[in-house]
Amino acid sequence: MGMILAAGAGTRARHLTDIRRTAYPVAKPMFRLLDTPIMHHTVLEMQRQGITDIFCNVWSNPDTLESYYSNIAPGAVKMYRESQLMGTMGSAVHWTIEHGIGDADRVFVISGDIASNADLGRILAEHERVGADATIAFNPVDWSQVPKYGTAYLEGMPEKRPQRSDETVEQYASYLRSYIADMDRYIKGTSYSAVQVHQFREKASIADCCSNANNSSIYLFNGSVIRALYERGITPTTEKTDPFYDFGAHGFRHILEQGMKFFGVLLPHEVYWADIGDMGKYWLAIMDTLDGRFDRSMWPSIIPQADKESGVISFIHPSAMIHDTAELIPPYYIGPDVHIGAGARVERASLSRGSLIGPNSTVYASAVLESSHYHSGDTIRQLRGDGTRGSILQRSLMASGFLAPGQMASNNVVLTTPDGYVRFAPIGMDKDLSEQRARGAHVPAVEAISLDAIGQAVVHRN
């Protein structure tokens, strides 16, 4: 089976998910990378592995999910509406039991708002090879990002020690460099191999974390594990328990305490993984996709071809109408029914279905999204982003608004509010990294030494 967790409220991405902020809210798993929803990439990978029994839980803006899978991809996913948020674990236990999972069954549980080209087939093969009860895919992240995620200590991993009392900051930093090099070698040597999980810590500080092996929100469970959690009482059908349970905070600890066969599969550095948590991360994932960092082989219909040398996308849909005097500078994605006016300049941009770019307008390092409003009768009303004469859109997302002549949006989400006004909402981005990527510059891994909140010297990478 395959279960996709899609019931989150999307509070960090509220500019596009909250009905109080936008007239056309969508569920976060329906955010598009070019013209394909984030969640559908996971559905396509599951189908590629022969998993046809796929379902997901919905709660926030459920119509946007249900309408897509009834109109665009009918029958691909079974939808289950939740009356209350249950957490990743509460949902997985409840809906797999409702779906009739047996002890001998296997179920992938994957977050609906991650973009990754991890090979599920290899994860399943390793799970079977070692006879695991539960398996997590882990991906290495920059050390500066460790406190945002759950991390694990795996069998044979180099163990990070604290700073000794007789050790200077420089000496400890030198040790940490050696430790990080050892960790990199460990990850390369064990990629896509199942290794036993000994510890798991949820969102610990850099000093207290197990490693930089991040919980990628890609899980594989035997049905017997789901049953064990159900019988323990972690289910919304049991009145005596709180229905909200998460794997990171509750489930993995119980699995370790019970001595189950708990394994991790480390994804190699070259596997793409992105958590589409907020607008800045969403923007960066679109830029990464244009750069060819995200594998496009799973796209459902039209497959934009990347340049063989640079890897960047330069794609124009046959139905797009582009004026002869418009200038297009790679990478770019020009989707179906896009109109680009005379003298317009499009550089490093993704223009989704129905985008309108007016004469003499500039779109740089930005995405114009297809915003859809699903209402009664399962019909779709599209509000198309419209860059009019002389307007400029740079390092931004145009969601459901428009730019008037001479207007400029920079580092913003442009959207239409429930009362009909166009609003510019600033989005946070890692400027050092994202702006360099926006310009197409190569971003090397640069080591730096800093002190965290408790005074421990740490080495992180930008």
Side-chain angles (χ1 to χ4, degrees):
M1 296 180 183
M3 179 175 181
I4 301 175
L5 300 171
T11 52
R12 290 180 295 162
R14 55 189 174 274
H15 298 309
L16 300 185
T17 62
D18 191 344
I19 195 171
R20 296 168 297 182
R21 292 175 177 263
T22 175
Y24 304 96
V26 296
K28 190 163 63 168
M30 295 305 295
F31 288 2
R32 308 295 177 97
L33 288 179
L34 311 193
D35 272 317
T36 303
I38 297 166
M39 172 177 149
H40 200 54
H41 288 283
T42 300
V43 172
L44 293 169
E45 168 63 4
M46 285 182 173
Q47 291 176 336
R48 190 171 75 89
Q49 299 297 339
I51 303 171
T52 56
D53 197 5
I54 304 171
F55 55 105
C56 83
N57 58 330
V58 295
W59 182 77
S60 177
N61 302 313
D63 291 344
T64 58
L65 281 153
E66 292 171 345
S67 294
Y68 183 87
Y69 284 101
S70 62
N71 290 288
I72 308 301
V77 179
K78 302 176 184 68
M79 298 285 170
Y80 294 93
R81 285 201 183 198
E82 293 185 352
S83 58
Q84 61 179 319
L85 285 175
M86 297 189 244
T88 57
M89 185 177 170
S91 295
V93 169
H94 178 66
W95 293 116
T96 49
I97 292 294
E98 288 284 319
H99 204 64
I101 192 171
D103 286 354
D105 289 333
R106 307 286 185 265
V107 57
F108 273 104
V109 179
I110 301 178
S111 175
D113 58 1
I114 63 166
S116 178
N117 53 15
D119 190 330
L120 300 185
R122 295 183 69 175
I123 296 171
L124 175 60
E126 282 298 295
H127 180 89
E128 299 289 353
R129 181 183 68 83
V130 298
D133 295 317
T135 298
I136 308 179
F138 293 98
N139 64 295
V141 296
D142 290 346
W143 285 91
S144 60
Q145 302 299 306
V146 161
K148 299 179 181 179
Y149 301 111
T151 58
Y153 179 76
L154 308 179
E155 179 75 30
M157 211 176 233
E159 189 170 357
K160 179 170 61 67
R161 65 167 175 80
Q163 184 178 6
R164 296 192 299 260
S165 59
D166 62 345
E167 194 172 32
T168 66
V169 169
E170 290 76 15
Q171 289 172 331
Y172 188 57
S174 176
Y175 156 73
L176 286 177
R177 286 195 187 93
S178 175
Y179 164 76
I180 287 175
D182 289 343
M183 183 65 74
D184 285 345
R185 284 190 290 269
Y186 176 87
I187 291 170
K188 290 177 182 177
T190 57
S191 292
Y192 275 123
S193 297
V195 185
Q196 190 169 358
V197 177
H198 288 300
Q199 295 180 47
F200 183 88
R201 293 177 185 168
E202 181 71 4
K203 298 181 180 178
S205 69
I206 296 175
D208 294 332
C209 69
C210 296
S211 67
N212 70 326
N214 157 60
N215 170 13
S216 70
S217 297
I218 301 173
Y219 316 135
L220 179 58
F221 300 107
N222 293 351
S224 57
V225 174
I226 299 295
R227 284 281 174 191
L229 296 174
Y230 178 83
E231 290 168 2
R232 184 175 179 267
I234 302 180
T235 166
T237 59
T238 304
E239 294 181 0
K240 65 181 180 180
T241 63
D242 182 346
F244 192 93
Y245 288 90
D246 272 319
F247 281 114
H250 309 99
F252 299 145
R253 180 176 60 192
H254 179 68
I255 290 171
L256 283 168
E257 288 173 351
Q258 296 302 308
M260 298 180 186
K261 296 179 180 178
F262 191 17
F263 284 79
V265 171
L266 276 166
L267 303 176
H269 285 282
E270 58 269 21
V271 167
Y272 186 77
W273 184 91
D275 167 24
I276 315 298
D278 54 34
M279 293 294 90
K281 289 181 179 178
Y282 180 29
W283 175 88
L284 188 55
I286 295 172
M287 296 298 108
D288 283 344
T289 306
L290 288 172
D291 287 342
R293 291 183 174 90
F294 184 31
D295 187 353
R296 298 161 305 282
S297 63
M298 297 179 288
W299 290 1
S301 53
I302 301 164
I303 303 176
Q305 297 299 313
D307 181 86
K308 291 182 179 179
E309 293 185 4
S310 66
V312 302
I313 289 176
S314 300
F315 174 80
I316 303 174
H317 190 277
S319 65
M321 298 183 65
I322 304 171
H323 196 276
D324 292 341
T325 61
E327 183 181 13
L328 305 181
I329 302 173
Y332 54 77
Y333 170 84
I334 312 300
D337 303 318
V338 168
H339 287 66
I340 302 177
R345 187 172 185 268
V346 175
E347 178 182 0
R348 198 171 188 76
S350 170
L351 307 181
S352 289
R353 180 186 299 273
S355 301
L356 304 176
I357 308 302
N360 303 315
S361 295
T362 297
V363 181
Y364 166 71
S366 296
V368 181
L369 312 175
E370 178 191 48
S371 291
S372 299
H373 175 52
Y374 298 82
H375 50 90
S376 59
D378 287 333
T379 59
I380 301 175
R381 175 184 174 186
Q382 296 176 344
L383 185 69
R384 297 170 177 174
D386 183 9
T388 54
R389 181 179 297 276
S391 55
I392 299 174
L393 185 72
Q394 62 181 16
R395 290 190 296 275
S396 296
L397 300 170
M398 182 177 288
S400 59
F402 62 89
L403 295 180
Q407 271 191 314
M408 174 178 174
S410 181
N411 301 319
N412 280 285
V413 178
V414 185
L415 51 87
T416 300
T417 61
D419 54 7
Y421 290 94
V422 175
R423 177 171 178 261
F424 289 17
I427 55 177
M429 295 185 291
D430 180 346
K431 293 182 179 179
D432 290 339
L433 181 61
S434 60
E435 289 189 9
Q436 288 183 64
R437 284 188 175 179
R439 298 187 184 99
H442 174 65
V443 182
V446 180
E447 290 191 354
I449 303 172
S450 63
L451 296 177
D452 68 6
I454 63 170
Q456 293 282 9
V458 297
V459 178
H460 60 86
R461 291 181 176 180
N462 182 9

